[in-house]
Amino acid sequence: MRTALVYRALGLGDLLTGVPALRMLRRALPGHRIVLAAPAAQTGLITLAAVADEVIATEELEPVAWTGPPPDLAIDLHGNGPASRDLLRVLDPGRLIGFDEPGGPAWDPDEHERHRWCRLLAESLDADTTADPDDVRLPPPGLEPPPEPDAILIHPGAASGSRRWPTDRFAAVATRMTLTGAPVLVTGSPAERDLAEDVRSRAGLPAEANVAGSTDLMALTSLVGAARLLISGDTGVAHLASALGTPSVVLFGPTPPSRWGPPPGPHIALWRGDGLGDPHAAVTDPALLRLRVDEVNDAALRMLSARG
C-alpha cells in the first residue's frame, strides 16, 4: 500500500486546527496509509478524529522514527521553514508537499490556520476533493462522565506568558460564575498546577475545584465535552471546546482571532488588539490586558443564557 507521511509535531491547538486538512487528505487519498508524526500524548485524540492510520510519536522538530521504504508522499503540515522540511526531505519521499516548494502554493502569513493547511492540500493534490476549514467537530470520547458534568471551566494557562490573562482577573470571573449555581473548575496541565491554584484560591473555590494536572488529554476531552462553558485564553483547550461543540469565551491577544479564532458555533472571541503582537513573549500582551473582567463576565453570561 502507498503511504503518506504527515508531519505536525506541535501542540493540542495545532493538531485540532489541522483536522480539516487531515480529513481532506483522507478523502483525497483513499488508497494510501496515512501516517501522522505527532506527540505521543495526542494519539487518543488522533484516533478519535479518525484522521490517521498510524501515529509515529514525534516531538516538535525531532526526527521521525520512520522505518521501511521511503514514504510515497511526505507533507509538511508543521510550518514553512527548513527545520521541519529537512526532517521530511531526509526520508527521501517520492514527493514532498509544503509551502513554497517548487511549483507549490505560497505561504500567506495573514491566513487563518485552518484555511492555510486546507489550501496547501487543495492546491497540491491532484484530486477532485474539497476541504471545509470548519470541519473540526469530534465525536464524544466515550469515557465515563466527568466528576462534575455541566461545569464552568476556567483555564488560565497558555504556552507563553503573552497569551496569559492575569490570574486575578480569571479569579474575579470565576467568582462571578459561582453565582450562576454551576460548579466552577480550574483546569490546566501538570505544569500549570500552581497557576490554577492561584486562580482557585483567589476566587475562594474549594480545593477540589483545581483539577489542573489531574486529567490526561482524553479525560480533559471528556471534561470539556460535558462542560456548560469554557473560559480561556487562545490556547489548545479552546480548540478542544470548538471541536466538541462546547460553548466558549476565548480571550485573544497578541494573535487576532482572524488567524486562530473558533469556527462558527457557540463561541465568543474577545479581541481588543490593533495589530499583531509577539505570541512567544514572556509578559502578557497589551491587547490581552485591554480585556476587562466585566466584558468577559458579560460574554460568559450571554453564552450561558443562550444555552438556557
Side-chain angles (χ1 to χ4, degrees):
M1 176 178 286
R2 295 172 68 82
T3 56
L5 170 65
V6 182
Y7 191 85
R8 194 161 176 83
L10 292 161
L12 173 60
D14 302 278
L15 169 66
L16 294 171
T17 54
V19 162
L22 290 166
R23 285 177 171 161
M24 178 195 175
L25 183 67
R26 172 75 82 182
R27 294 191 300 270
L29 302 177
H32 283 63
R33 181 172 180 80
I34 308 297
V35 181
L36 180 58
Q42 298 176 1
T43 301
L45 207 56
I46 293 167
T47 301
L48 186 66
V51 293
D53 299 298
E54 179 185 348
V55 176
I56 295 180
T58 309
E59 295 304 316
E60 184 171 1
L61 297 181
E62 290 294 322
V64 181
W66 183 266
T67 59
D72 298 283
L73 181 65
I75 302 171
D76 185 358
L77 222 67
H78 189 95
N80 192 42
S84 56
R85 199 68 47 82
D86 289 349
L87 292 172
L88 296 177
R89 211 180 302 277
V90 298
L91 302 178
D92 193 27
R95 182 187 177 194
L96 178 59
I97 289 178
F99 280 111
D100 298 322
E101 283 292 301
W107 176 270
D108 178 358
D110 296 321
E111 196 167 18
H112 193 288
E113 186 74 0
R114 295 192 311 276
H115 291 254
R116 168 179 290 127
W117 302 111
C118 288
R119 180 173 65 87
L120 173 66
L121 295 186
E123 296 183 13
S124 301
L125 295 174
D126 183 19
D128 184 19
T129 305
T130 59
D132 178 4
D134 294 333
D135 183 18
V136 300
R137 290 296 297 271
L138 298 178
L143 302 179
E144 290 296 321
E148 289 285 3
D150 215 31
I152 295 174
L153 306 181
I154 307 292
H155 190 93
S160 63
S162 63
R163 291 188 282 131
R164 295 185 202 128
W165 205 43
T167 54
D168 61 327
R169 301 191 196 184
F170 268 119
V173 171
T175 299
R176 176 62 185 87
M177 291 302 104
T178 63
L179 300 180
T180 67
V184 177
L185 302 179
V186 187
T187 59
S189 68
E192 295 166 340
R193 177 78 185 178
D194 290 344
L195 184 72
E197 181 60 21
D198 187 30
V199 173
R200 183 209 66 79
S201 62
R202 287 175 181 265
L205 300 174
E208 60 270 19
N210 182 0
V211 298
S214 65
T215 56
D216 62 16
L217 181 54
M218 293 310 294
L220 177 64
T221 300
S222 180
L223 183 65
V224 172
R228 182 180 299 189
L229 176 69
L230 169 75
I231 303 170
S232 79
D234 171 24
T235 190
V237 73
H239 297 283
L240 196 55
S242 296
L244 297 167
T246 298
S248 65
V249 175
V250 187
L251 287 57
F252 280 86
T255 304
S258 61
R259 295 194 180 191
W260 283 88
H267 315 293
I268 294 177
L270 297 178
W271 162 248
R272 293 291 177 268
D274 53 10
L276 182 66
D278 181 358
H280 307 295
V283 297
T284 307
D285 189 83
L288 196 53
L289 289 174
R290 292 187 195 110
L291 292 175
R292 305 184 313 272
V293 168
D294 63 323
E295 60 185 318
V296 176
N297 282 337
D298 288 346
L301 294 173
R302 289 202 306 274
M303 293 303 299
L304 292 171
S305 177
R307 178 169 179 175

